[in-house]
């Protein structure tokens, strides 16, 4: 139903530079927020520290425990042990410890482009170290080796100034080492990085046998992911590679959180990570399929149909393709009010094949090709098998059996000339 309201409790961050609670990762609250879906979009409204009694009673009576509270950071002690903190998810911010407080770095040296790019390169590789020649070629490919080497030395010196502004001699530094022909950034004990903490939380979650603990760690990682990795840097290949890796992990994380909430029958809570994912990646078909099923189970069939139409529009306008047969099958089932078709199990992978069977080739009935030496050279006959409508494919989108022929050879190209059938 359009306009349905759900309530969630979470910690918020104001982001003000002088806010001690935000700098230390404590945040404000927790506060209650109301989430409402309208015309395919979700809006959030602040409620307060306490829910009104009538809303609390209705939630306990109808949904049971449908509240998701964002947990406090379990990695708080690790962040506090470091001397520097680097935030690269959704921003590029550097914080330095000053006694018991954290201060955002604003010195002019930090604003130099070569300093920021040098740090971007080092935090983009898992080992936090790169060769001098690698850095020189990546940062100044048009310069000769001597000039590029001098610029790299100045960038290293300036970055050490940013890390230790009160130190007089910066020929060496425990934060930024130069070992032979390598430039090495200190480990997490000295320099904490949010992207590393994000990946560590996911690894810890997958090592837990308790689903509740797994979900808690994944939710903490979800809160830590503030956006694209180093969004201001678009040219460096190292940054681009890690950005894609982190984004794939984030997408998988949201889908996994939704599945965990479905397993504990929190259908309303499972919609939240799916809508968050679709707000960033509207063409994610796995999220749309899950969202359509959840909305249908909650009696919000119109919203489920709207989610499909939005996906179909995005795929048609952006990629000139149609949704997958399984997605179309969900849409047809909901349109006819015939109920949801069962989820199609993942087909087993043939060990002798190059990979799993393509979804496009699983549509329709299988065909039997006559064996060699049988003397039968007629068109392959259709074997008995389920109809397209029985495997979640709309009959209107399926190819009639009398005109269907298996594709052999090239696709999406002009017909061959001078060849017999």
């Amino acid at each position: 139903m359009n306009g349905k309201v759900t309530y969630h409790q979470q910690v918020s961050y104001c982001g003000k530079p002088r806010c001690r609670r935000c700098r230390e990762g404590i945040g404000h609250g927790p506060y209650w927020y109301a989430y409402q879906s309208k015309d395919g979009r979700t809006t959030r409204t602040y409620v307060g520290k306490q829910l009104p009694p009538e809303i609390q009673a209705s939630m306990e009576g109808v949904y049971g425990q449908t509240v998701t509270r964002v947990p406090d950071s379990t990695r708080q002690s690790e962040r506090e042990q470091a001397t520097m903190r680097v935030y690269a998810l959704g921003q590029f911010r550097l914080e330095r410890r000053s006694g018991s407080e954290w201060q955002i770095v604003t010195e002019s040296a930090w604003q130099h482009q070569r300093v920021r790019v040098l740090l971007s390169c080092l935090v983009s590789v898992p080992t936090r170290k790169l060769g001098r020649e690698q850095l020189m070629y990546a940062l100044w490919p048009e310069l000769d080796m001597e000039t590029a080497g001098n610029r790299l030395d100045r960038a290293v010196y300036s970055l050490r100034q940013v890390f230790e502004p009160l130190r007089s001699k910066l020929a060496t530094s425990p934060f930024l080492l130069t070992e032979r022909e390598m430039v090495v950034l200190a480990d997490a004990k000295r320099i904490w990085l949010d992207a590393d903490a994000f990946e560590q939380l996911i690894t810890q979650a997958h090592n837990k046998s308790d689903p509740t603990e797994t979900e808690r760690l994944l939710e903490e990682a979800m809160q830590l992911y503030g956006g694209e990795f180093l969004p201001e840097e678009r040219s460096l290949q190292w940054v681009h590679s890690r950005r894609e890796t982190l984004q794939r992990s984030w997408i998988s994380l949201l889908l996994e959180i939704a599945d965990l909430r479905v397993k504990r029958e929190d259908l309303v809570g499972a919609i939240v990570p799916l809508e968050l994912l679709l707000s960033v990646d509207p063409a994610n078909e796995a999220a749309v399929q899950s969202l359509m099923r959840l909305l249908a189970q909650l009696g919000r069939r119109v919203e489920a149909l709207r989610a499909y139409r939005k996906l179909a529009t995005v795929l048609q306008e952006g990629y000139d393709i149609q949704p997958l047969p399984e997605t179309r099958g969900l849409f047809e089932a909901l349109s006819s009010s015939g109920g949801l078709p069962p989820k199609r199990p993942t087909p087993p992978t043939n060990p002798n094949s190059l990979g799993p069977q393509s979804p496009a080739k699983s549509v329709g009935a299988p065909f039997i090709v006559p064996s060699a030496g049988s003397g039968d050279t007629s068109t392959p006959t259709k074997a008995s098998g389920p109809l397209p409508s029985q495997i979640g494919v709309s009959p209107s989108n399926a190819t009639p059996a009398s005109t269907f022929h298996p594709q052999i050879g090239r696709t999406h190209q002009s017909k061959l000339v001078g060849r017999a059938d």
Side-chain angles (χ1 to χ4, degrees):
M1 291 181 291
N2 210 20
K4 191 176 185 65
V5 181
T6 59
Y7 298 88
H8 297 271
Q9 190 180 33
Q10 61 191 74
V11 175
S12 64
Y13 296 88
C14 65
K16 296 179 180 178
R18 296 188 178 183
C19 178
R20 179 184 61 83
R21 297 183 66 88
C22 291
R23 289 200 309 268
E24 296 178 357
I26 301 173
H28 304 275
Y31 301 112
W32 286 98
Y33 293 89
Y35 288 83
Q36 183 177 18
S37 296
K38 187 174 182 181
D39 297 329
R41 300 184 62 184
T42 301
T43 58
R44 186 181 77 164
T45 305
Y46 172 78
V47 176
K49 286 191 174 182
Q50 301 292 333
L51 279 177
E54 62 275 11
I55 295 178
Q56 181 69 37
S58 64
M59 290 176 61
E60 294 175 353
V62 178
Y63 298 113
Q65 186 64 26
T66 61
V67 176
T68 301
R69 178 175 179 175
V70 177
D72 295 334
S73 175
T74 59
R75 307 192 66 81
Q76 183 69 24
S77 59
E78 181 177 297
R79 287 203 298 176
E80 292 302 324
Q81 290 175 359
T83 306
M84 302 293 302
R85 297 196 299 207
V86 180
Y87 292 88
L89 294 173
Q91 58 186 320
F92 196 19
R93 190 176 84 246
L94 196 62
E95 293 183 355
R96 184 193 305 116
R97 179 193 293 276
S98 178
S100 59
E101 301 290 332
W102 288 92
Q103 295 180 348
I104 298 178
V105 175
T106 57
E107 288 89 343
S108 58
W110 171 237
Q111 305 306 322
H112 291 170
Q113 182 66 16
R114 62 175 179 267
V115 175
R116 299 174 71 90
V117 174
L118 174 59
L119 184 59
S120 298
C121 293
L122 293 173
V123 299
S124 298
V125 292
T127 58
R128 297 193 179 193
K129 61 182 179 181
L130 288 168
R132 286 179 56 87
E133 290 189 3
Q134 288 179 294
L135 289 168
M136 289 187 289
Y137 181 77
L139 303 182
W140 303 285
E142 73 284 355
L143 299 180
D144 59 86
M145 296 296 291
E146 183 178 358
T147 305
N150 292 333
R151 289 195 179 186
L152 179 59
D153 291 337
R154 290 198 296 269
V156 169
Y157 185 86
S158 298
L159 186 54
R160 285 172 173 169
Q161 278 186 319
V162 172
F163 290 150
E164 300 177 279
L166 302 180
R167 186 174 177 178
S168 57
K169 296 182 179 180
L170 295 172
T172 59
S173 171
F175 293 90
L176 190 61
L177 307 174
T178 50
E179 300 176 351
R180 297 181 181 178
E181 292 300 315
M182 304 293 294
V183 179
V184 184
L185 188 68
D187 59 16
K189 294 180 181 179
R190 294 183 182 272
I191 301 178
W192 177 88
L193 176 64
D194 58 353
D196 289 344
F198 170 79
E199 293 178 326
Q200 291 167 7
L201 284 169
I202 295 177
T203 301
Q204 289 180 7
H206 292 160
N207 290 333
K208 298 293 184 180
S209 57
D210 182 9
T212 302
E213 186 68 11
T214 298
E215 184 179 350
R216 184 185 67 81
L217 291 170
L218 291 178
E219 286 179 347
E220 187 176 347
M222 179 178 66
Q223 294 296 322
L224 193 59
Y225 189 88
E228 282 190 342
F229 179 73
L230 296 176
E232 67 182 36
E233 183 53 60
R234 292 292 171 180
S235 59
L236 293 172
Q237 181 60 37
W238 294 309
V239 175
H240 179 72
S241 298
R242 186 159 200 197
R243 180 184 296 135
E244 288 189 339
T245 300
L246 290 167
Q247 190 171 43
R248 285 195 298 267
S249 299
W250 177 70
I251 291 173
S252 300
L253 173 150
L254 294 177
L255 293 173
E256 190 172 355
I257 290 176
D259 289 340
L260 289 170
R261 292 179 179 179
V262 169
K263 288 179 180 179
R264 61 180 177 85
E265 299 182 355
D266 183 9
L267 303 186
V268 176
I271 292 177
V272 176
L274 296 176
E275 290 184 334
L276 176 60
L277 172 54
L278 291 174
S279 67
V280 177
D281 182 14
N284 191 296
E285 200 153 354
V288 173
Q289 290 179 7
S290 299
L291 180 61
M292 290 175 65
R293 290 183 178 275
L294 289 172
L295 291 173
Q297 293 177 41
L298 292 170
R300 298 157 65 175
R301 188 172 66 91
V302 175
E303 294 180 57
L305 296 175
R306 186 183 296 117
Y308 172 85
R309 294 190 182 99
K310 183 177 180 180
L311 170 69
T313 301
V314 170
L315 293 179
Q316 181 63 37
E317 294 179 352
Y319 306 95
D320 195 23
I321 59 175
Q322 291 184 349
L324 293 173
E326 184 178 356
T327 314
R328 298 200 302 267
L330 285 173
F331 175 73
E332 292 292 337
L334 292 173
S335 298
S336 61
S337 300
L340 287 172
K343 282 188 177 181
R344 182 168 26 176
T346 303
T349 302
N350 184 357
N352 298 323
S353 65
L354 295 178
Q357 185 180 12
S358 171
K361 294 182 180 180
S362 63
V363 179
F367 282 77
I368 300 175
V369 180
S371 59
S374 63
D376 186 0
T377 59
S378 60
T379 304
T381 58
K382 186 177 72 171
S384 60
L387 296 174
S389 59
Q390 293 175 315
I391 58 173
V393 182
S394 169
S396 61
N397 294 325
T399 305
S402 59
T403 60
F404 184 87
H405 297 282
Q407 176 66 45
I408 300 175
R410 310 185 308 167
T411 59
H412 302 293
Q413 299 187 35
S414 59
K415 295 181 179 180
L416 295 174
V417 179
R419 303 289 184 93
D421 291 340

